[in-house]
Amino acid sequence: MTAAVSLVLAGCGSSNDGGGGSRNAPAGDDGKLVGEQEYLSAPCPEPAVKPTQKEFTYWSMWTKDEPQGRVLQKAFKCFEEKAGVKVNVQWLGRKFLTQNVAPALNTDTVPDLIDQDTSQVKAAVVDAGGTQGLDDVYTMKIGEGDKTVKDVIPSVLYDIPQNKDKDGKFFGVPYELLSNGWWYDKKKQKDFKEPKTTDELFAALDKAKAAGGAIAQDGDIDFYNAYFLTQIAEKYVGKGGIQGAVEDKTGAKWASEPGFLKAAQYVEKLAKGKYFIDGWDAGKFPQIQQRWADGEAAFLFVGSWAPSETREYLGKQGGGASIDYGSFQFPLPEGATHDTIEFLPVVWSVTKKAKNPEAAKAFIAYFTNKDLARGIPAVGDNLHPRAELPVPDDLKQLNAAFTDTKKEKVVFMDSIDSLVGGTYVKNVFYPLNNDLLKGKITAQQFIDQIGPKTADFWKNQG
């Protein structure tokens, strides 16, 4: 994925409702959505915390020329100008945690600051003891009077088990949030109505298939393929249900909980119905997503970074093509009782061996200031956790789904990709799920195999 996205959440509850509360405030109260040049040329805010350390090293999940990279370069310039702290940055891209950070943990060459989604940070760095607690950052002032980080970042976004290390300390501070959903072009489907039932969804898919193409799916991305099954399973078993099945070392829960078979049957119906466009499982990301942008399929199910990625693609293609983005969530299947929506925080983390932790932590607080944070929607066409910042038009429907207090919030894939260093999904879940989505096995075969393979996985762990 080339651009993470942040979303405004509401009514999610947590063990500590201090700070941001339940996030029922509407977004967009802080004025208009400024343009990129206006953002980049705006004066730098004054930092509330000026560290004694005068530099720190940051290894980035972004590339320099990405929208988030441009936002961060502005923030680094401001931090050096206002706090006298130089940021030594390496733009390494999405795989840097496993390719760069994890191998460096046992050396003295580690960065001070890193970022990625909580599941990846936990799997690659936290469980190896590679981060330090950031509870103190939440009490730091951000340069807006007496406001602190926890005053503007809702606790529902960070006070979650997936953001805590083995000592119960927060290892991350969110600055963006990911979600996922169905995407379509309103210009091409002017009479489209959001499906409210499973039958209505499949009717829409049937209509689209008859018209030339229903679903575009980059089948070489394992976690993209997993979204279908986990989304539906969560609606039957609720938050923590999938993780509970994974952590059952006997593997029995996969078969004893009927919701898993129902979810697998849903995915089997997608596979057997041949709703995915030809070549979906033979392409290389982002080829199939780009085919959706070109109009070869009606729907795309992927993360909420879809608008920024596909708009960038169309812009490079030239010709003036554009998409009027619409989105919706999976309808609640018959018999399911959990009206869920997935999210995943992208967080700042400070390494255990950081040589300049004071400076890195001060920057985290500084970047939370609204004058810098507004770059996420202004430049990145994404949303920031701060509720008062504007919401890009492309994401207003998705934002509305999150601010629906009736929806149960679940971390992406119930965070099973963070377990055991990510080895369970790699060795057990992803291969079976791919076979199911590609029609190589039935729903019943999926259930019959995943239970014993889960048990074998845990036996091999010792």
Side-chain angles (χ1 to χ4, degrees), residues 97 116-124 162 171 344-345 411-412 414-419:
L97 288 182
Q116 238 311 353
D117 69 67
T118 50
S119 292
Q120 291 194 57
V121 175
K122 191 173 190 302
Q162 293 86 354
F171 65 79
L344 183 62
V411 173
F412 269 32
D414 209 17
S415 199
I416 62 173
D417 53 333
S418 73
L419 302 177

Side-chain angles (χ1 to χ4, degrees), residues 178-210:
L178 307 173
S179 185
N180 45 34
W182 290 97
W183 298 91
Y184 65 97
D185 187 347
K186 294 178 181 178
K187 291 190 299 184
K188 293 178 179 177
Q189 300 192 60
K190 295 179 181 179
D191 61 343
F192 180 77
K193 294 182 179 179
E194 179 179 333
K196 300 299 182 184
T197 67
T198 299
D199 286 344
E200 289 180 1
L201 174 59
F202 276 95
L205 295 176
D206 286 332
K207 179 180 178 181
K209 183 175 71 170

Side-chain angles (χ1 to χ4, degrees), residues 72-369:
L72 289 173
Q73 288 175 74
K74 156 78 182 258
F76 298 155
K77 177 184 176 183
C78 285
F79 201 47
E80 184 168 9
E81 175 185 323
K82 294 294 186 179
V85 178
K86 181 180 179 182
V87 182
N88 302 305
V89 59
Q90 291 190 38
W91 306 101
L92 298 172
R94 302 300 183 272
K95 297 182 179 180
F96 83 111
L97 288 182
T98 54
Q99 293 182 350
N100 304 94
V101 178
L105 291 179
N106 293 322
T107 74
D108 290 328
T109 308
V110 293
D112 300 301
L113 185 68
I114 58 175
D115 56 352
Q116 238 311 353
D117 69 67
T118 50
S119 292
Q120 291 194 57
V121 175
K122 191 173 190 302
V125 187
V126 177
D127 288 348
T131 57
Q132 56 182 275
L134 298 182
D135 294 46
D136 54 337
V137 175
Y138 283 96
T139 64
M140 289 183 177
K141 292 182 179 180
I142 61 174
E144 298 178 35
D146 290 330
K147 288 182 180 178
T148 64
V149 172
K150 70 177 181 179
D151 288 333
V152 298
I153 302 294
S155 58
V156 297
L157 305 184
Y158 67 82
D159 196 355
I160 54 177
Q162 293 86 354
N163 189 39
K164 293 180 181 179
D165 61 22
K166 58 183 176 59
D167 296 322
K169 301 294 186 182
F170 300 125
F171 65 79
V173 176
Y175 70 91
E176 289 193 1
L177 294 172
L178 307 173
S179 185
N180 45 34
W182 290 97
W183 298 91
Y184 65 97
D185 187 347
K186 294 178 181 178
K187 291 190 299 184
K188 293 178 179 177
Q189 300 192 60
K190 295 179 181 179
D191 61 343
F192 180 77
K193 294 182 179 179
E194 179 179 333
K196 300 299 182 184
T197 67
T198 299
D199 286 344
E200 289 180 1
L201 174 59
F202 276 95
L205 295 176
D206 286 332
K207 179 180 178 181
K209 183 175 71 170
I215 307 172
Q217 171 74 7
D218 281 290
D220 62 325
I221 306 295
D222 288 337
F223 62 90
Y224 280 15
N225 294 340
Y227 290 162
F228 296 94
L229 182 61
T230 60
Q231 283 267 339
I232 300 303
E234 287 159 4
K235 295 183 185 302
Y236 284 106
V237 303
K239 179 169 57 178
I242 304 176
Q243 188 167 141
V246 172
E247 292 178 331
D248 174 15
K249 296 184 178 181
T250 70
K253 284 187 178 180
W254 287 107
S256 64
E257 169 50 65
F260 292 125
L261 177 59
K262 291 178 180 177
Q265 289 171 336
Y266 197 116
V267 176
E268 182 182 358
K269 185 176 181 179
L270 285 171
K272 287 188 172 180
K274 299 188 182 302
Y275 294 106
F276 298 100
I277 60 175
D278 291 343
W280 74 274
D281 57 348
K284 183 174 178 59
F285 176 83
Q287 291 174 344
I288 312 303
Q289 176 178 283
Q290 290 171 349
R291 288 173 62 187
W292 173 78
D294 289 333
E296 292 187 38
F299 300 106
L300 176 72
F301 189 91
V302 75
S304 41
W305 51 86
S308 57
E309 287 191 353
T310 52
R311 179 181 291 104
E312 181 182 14
Y313 161 71
L314 290 176
K316 289 180 179 179
Q317 291 296 100
S322 65
I323 296 172
D324 185 3
Y325 296 91
S327 69
F328 62 94
Q329 296 294 305
F330 269 106
L332 192 66
E334 185 177 354
T337 57
H338 299 270
D339 188 9
T340 57
I341 189 167
E342 288 191 335
F343 76 100
L344 183 62
V346 172
V347 299
W348 297 114
S349 291
V350 177
T351 60
K352 188 77 169 180
K353 291 184 177 181
K355 295 181 177 65
N356 300 288
E358 178 196 1
K361 291 180 178 182
F363 175 77
I364 295 174
Y366 185 56
F367 191 67
T368 308
N369 182 288

Side-chain angles (χ1 to χ4, degrees), residues 245-254 420 423-425 427-429 432 447-462:
V246 172
E247 292 178 331
D248 174 15
K249 296 184 178 181
T250 70
K253 284 187 178 180
W254 287 107
V420 203
T423 56
Y424 176 84
V425 290
N427 296 313
V428 179
F429 187 80
L432 285 173
I447 297 298
D448 291 343
Q449 293 181 41
I450 196 168
K453 288 188 176 183
T454 297
D456 289 343
F457 171 83
W458 286 112
K459 287 177 184 177
N460 293 332
Q461 295 302 304

